[in-house]
Amino acid sequence: MRGSRDDKADKDDDRYTYDDEGEALAPGTIAATAMRDVAELTGKAPSGVTALEPDDGGWLVEIEVIEDRRIPSSSDMLATYRAQVTADGELTGLRRIRRFSRGKGDSEEG
């Protein structure tokens, strides 16, 4: 949902960033834009956003992509890409930060 910087409810809400025209871009809009850009640049369909955080007036978005489909699908090769996006939704950087087999997810001990 987009709102104006003049809208008091949005102005004080840290969940939104604003473009040059004072329009708020919701985190979901930022994530969707980043997913579209990753698909365009990699030629692979993103399967989802795994992280979204504000960063120096913009956003860092981590997106999981199926890089190599295999049979059975439990052995697909996946990758996580980190996209740097400005507050107005422009992609400024993209890097693959991880590549892994679907059956070998993160293991956290605690």
Side-chain angles (χ1 to χ4, degrees):
M1 180 175 172
R2 294 176 64 110
S4 170
R5 182 176 285 200
D6 296 330
D7 184 352
K8 177 76 171 133
D10 287 345
K11 184 177 179 183
D12 296 327
D13 192 339
D14 290 338
R15 295 177 302 160
Y16 297 95
T17 56
Y18 299 91
D19 64 16
D20 292 336
E21 297 165 356
E23 293 292 315
L25 297 180
T29 302
I30 295 291
T33 300
M35 285 180 57
R36 183 196 67 225
D37 290 341
V38 167
E40 183 178 316
L41 290 170
T42 65
K44 309 289 183 185
S47 58
V49 171
T50 59
L52 175 68
E53 60 187 73
D55 178 60
D56 293 331
W59 294 88
L60 286 178
V61 185
E62 291 185 6
I63 300 161
E64 194 168 277
V65 175
I66 300 174
E67 289 214 325
D68 187 18
R69 292 189 184 274
R70 297 185 176 169
I71 297 175
S73 62
S74 61
S75 61
D76 287 347
M77 289 303 297
L78 307 176
T80 302
Y81 286 83
R82 179 177 292 145
Q84 292 175 289
V85 182
T86 64
D88 61 352
E90 299 247 354
L91 183 71
T92 58
L94 180 65
R95 175 184 296 244
R96 184 174 67 189
I97 59 172
R98 184 167 174 248
R99 192 163 193 255
F100 57 99
S101 177
R102 183 185 298 270
K104 307 286 185 201
D106 289 338
S107 62
E108 294 183 25
E109 296 179 28

